[in-house]
Amino acid sequence: MSSERLAGLLDEYAELEKRLADPAIHADQATARRVGRRYAELVPLHKAAGELEQARADLVAARELAAEDPSFASEAESIAATLPVLEERLAELLIPRDPHDAKDVIVEIKAGEGGEESALFAGDLLRMYTRYAERHGWVTEVIDAQDSDLGGVKDVSLAIKTKGVPEGGSGVWSRLKWEGGVHRVQRVPVTESQGRIHTSAAGVLVLPEAEDVDVTIDANDLRIDVFRSSGPGGQSVNTTDSAVRITHLPTGIVVSCQNEKSQLQNREQAMRIMRARLLAAAQEQADAAASDARKAQVRTVDRSERIRTYNYPQNRITDHRIGYTAYNLDLALAGELDGVLDALTEADRAARLAGDTELTRR
């Protein structure tokens, strides 16, 4: 256990506690939220360090008493037995955590191979994440969506946020960061008249939502185009050029939004997605020399690169990265994802304890 790292984090905790006690910080809600999130991340560490320090002090006192009165020996042994557990807990908390764990996210779902069936499956994934968010008391917002003719979605961006400061610094990203990649479905499509099982796929990209302080965007690096919104089949949604397409010239990243009725609203929504994508791109560039779980997210919707399979005939959900399989697909699609997400989190925890920074994927 690194005593220097522990001391530094405890000093940071004390400083953050002072800042939050100053009423002036709440004049800037963005700053107060950011400081509050970091403080919440350090609360478990502060608590664990305090419990360990108290246990060690109690052990010294119990041994001193046992030297005078043997009846205290059993109490000393009992306290001594708790130390390894407390030390292990503190050691886990000292492992560097994902810096984005407390953040909210933007989930992008894109239909891939499989035509209308893929779009219907993308719609199922959208409902799955929305229901999961509801179960956790999170807030969801569809930023932009392109619907398909049969009621699915071709492309959708969904913002998911916690209410207030997440407990222990475990925000939406800490749970949903594992969802990035290609999701494959095996079932009989509604468009299949012969009853044959088809395989199609949809791509999911999960981005930590960036705040203004996370990403600096030069207005001169942006090209902003406006165009007329359209619905399924090219049907006109409105008769004004309210849809917005923003291109970040240095990186070539393009974001389009047409859900809102006003051009200004669409521009603001597009900039939210742009900031998140640029933050993710900067993180990947910074981690280029090291393998990272976030780099495993698949940007192309290729069925061969799947991370998870949803098999309807067997009511089975399988995550191929850790070999997880459960026969409760109906419950998972209804938002009960904690089983697979807990398994992924535990696999990551074990890998980090072993000194491996990459979640096992196959």
Side-chain angles (χ1 to χ4, degrees), residues 178-183 305-309 318-321:
W178 316 115
E179 294 303 288
V182 171
H183 296 239
E305 297 294 337
R306 84 270 188 232
I307 63 165
R308 189 175 298 154
T309 295
T318 299
D319 194 288
H320 304 285
R321 293 165 293 184

Side-chain angles (χ1 to χ4, degrees), residues 38 41 96-103 169 173 177 208 214 283 287 292 294:
R38 179 55 178 163
E41 288 179 7
R97 64 184 295 170
D98 188 325
H100 298 310
D101 271 354
K103 287 187 177 293
W173 172 261
K177 60 186 174 183
D214 295 325
Q283 187 70 45
D287 294 341
D292 185 284
R294 291 183 63 252

Side-chain angles (χ1 to χ4, degrees), residues 50-93:
E51 290 176 349
L52 178 58
E53 182 179 4
Q54 185 62 53
R56 286 172 172 168
D58 290 344
L59 178 59
V60 171
R63 283 175 172 169
E64 289 177 351
L65 290 171
E68 300 176 3
D69 184 348
S71 64
F72 285 97
S74 60
E75 182 178 347
E77 291 176 2
S78 178
I79 295 173
T82 67
L83 292 184
V85 177
L86 293 173
E87 289 170 348
E88 183 179 358
R89 171 62 176 158
L90 186 58
E92 283 188 29
L93 291 170

Side-chain angles (χ1 to χ4, degrees), residues 94-308:
L94 282 171
I95 298 173
R97 64 184 295 170
D98 188 325
H100 298 310
D101 271 354
K103 287 187 177 293
D104 299 323
V105 305
I106 294 176
V107 179
E108 298 183 9
I109 306 171
K110 186 184 293 292
E113 297 180 18
E116 277 294 341
E117 163 62 5
S118 178
L120 289 170
F121 177 51
D124 292 335
L125 292 177
L126 172 61
R127 284 184 289 276
M128 180 179 75
Y129 293 129
T130 300
R131 289 166 179 168
Y132 182 74
E134 290 172 350
R135 289 175 178 272
H136 285 263
W138 297 336
V139 178
T140 61
E141 173 194 2
V142 175
I143 298 176
D144 193 55
Q146 297 180 37
D147 298 330
S148 70
D149 293 327
L150 295 183
V153 290
K154 297 177 181 177
D155 198 343
V156 61
S157 297
L158 177 72
I160 305 179
K161 297 187 173 190
T162 57
K163 295 179 181 178
V165 176
E167 183 178 352
S170 297
V172 184
W173 172 261
S174 71
R175 295 300 286 169
L176 294 185
K177 60 186 174 183
W178 316 115
E179 294 303 288
V182 171
H183 296 239
R184 184 178 67 170
V185 63
Q186 295 172 329
R187 65 184 178 188
V188 179
V190 295
T191 55
E192 170 59 55
S193 59
Q194 303 297 320
R196 294 173 297 185
I197 296 174
H198 286 227
T199 298
S200 60
V204 175
L205 179 62
V206 184
L207 303 168
E209 181 152 15
E211 300 175 23
D212 289 339
V213 295
D214 295 325
V215 178
T216 300
I217 302 178
D218 189 337
N220 295 323
D221 289 338
L222 300 177
R223 186 179 73 234
I224 301 176
D225 302 304
V226 296
F227 57 98
R228 190 158 298 175
S229 301
S230 61
Q235 180 182 1
S236 177
V237 171
N238 57 48
T239 57
T240 61
D241 292 336
S242 62
V244 174
R245 180 185 300 109
I246 300 179
T247 304
H248 186 251
L249 300 175
T251 62
I253 295 174
V254 180
V255 176
S256 299
C257 276
Q258 62 176 10
N259 259 31
E260 305 297 338
K261 294 183 178 180
S262 80
Q263 186 181 122
L264 178 60
Q265 289 174 316
N266 281 322
R267 176 170 174 164
E268 290 175 348
Q269 298 289 46
M271 284 301 295
R272 286 176 65 185
I273 300 175
M274 179 63 76
R275 282 194 294 270
R277 289 190 183 179
L278 287 174
L279 176 63
Q283 187 70 45
E284 287 179 358
Q285 185 175 5
D287 294 341
S291 184
D292 185 284
R294 291 183 63 252
K295 291 172 66 179
Q297 297 197 49
V298 181
R299 267 64 174 180
T300 58
V301 187
D302 179 347
R303 285 181 300 196
S304 66
E305 297 294 337
R306 84 270 188 232
I307 63 165
R308 189 175 298 154

Side-chain angles (χ1 to χ4, degrees), residues 327-356:
Y327 294 88
N328 60 351
L329 176 58
D330 53 339
L331 297 178
L333 291 171
E336 295 187 19
L337 283 171
D338 281 328
V340 62
L341 295 181
D342 286 345
L344 286 160
T345 300
E346 177 57 28
D348 176 68
R349 186 192 71 84
R352 288 188 296 114
L353 281 173
D356 186 359

